[in-house]
Amino acid sequence: MGLFDFFSKNKSGNVAKDRLKLLLVSDRANCSPEIMEAIKNDIIKVISKYMDVDTEALDIQITQTQSEGGHGCVPALFANIPIRDMKNGNPNR
């Protein structure tokens, strides 16, 4: 195992990167990082009833988008949620 292999698999680095992304997203949305984390956890909880998702690769962003009526920009939530597998039958597995 090389030196770069050690750093590329560093879990604390990934956690720090996720926290920084969450902080940046929450700043754009004008809400606290705690609220953003709660939103992320709620989304994972609901979707996990029906699908096996890759929570490590989950990416949630809040951006600005043009409103439908063309009356300015509004915040929009975009979620990239990699699905490993669909759950069949009981959603409470």
Side-chain angles (χ1 to χ4, degrees):
M1 173 176 11
L3 181 64
F4 292 110
D5 290 337
F6 173 76
F7 287 113
S8 67
K9 295 178 183 176
N10 187 345
K11 292 275 185 192
S12 64
N14 289 335
V15 170
K17 183 175 101 173
D18 288 344
R19 287 182 180 161
L20 179 59
K21 283 173 45 176
L22 188 62
L23 181 63
L24 292 172
V25 168
S26 67
D27 185 51
R28 278 190 229 150
N30 198 21
C31 70
S32 71
E34 293 81 15
I35 296 293
M36 288 302 299
E37 185 67 28
I39 291 170
K40 178 180 174 182
N41 290 336
D42 286 348
I43 289 171
I44 291 170
K45 183 178 176 182
V46 169
I47 293 175
S48 292
K49 289 181 181 180
Y50 307 98
M51 303 167 197
D52 181 22
V53 297
D54 183 359
T55 57
E56 296 295 319
L58 179 92
D59 183 31
I60 296 177
Q61 298 179 16
I62 295 182
T63 62
Q64 296 292 323
T65 188
Q66 190 68 29
S67 68
E68 285 186 23
H71 303 291
C73 289
V74 294
L77 177 83
F78 290 96
N80 181 8
I81 306 168
I83 300 168
R84 291 184 181 140
D85 196 13
M86 298 295 292
K87 292 183 178 179
N88 295 323
N90 185 359
N92 295 320
R93 287 200 281 175

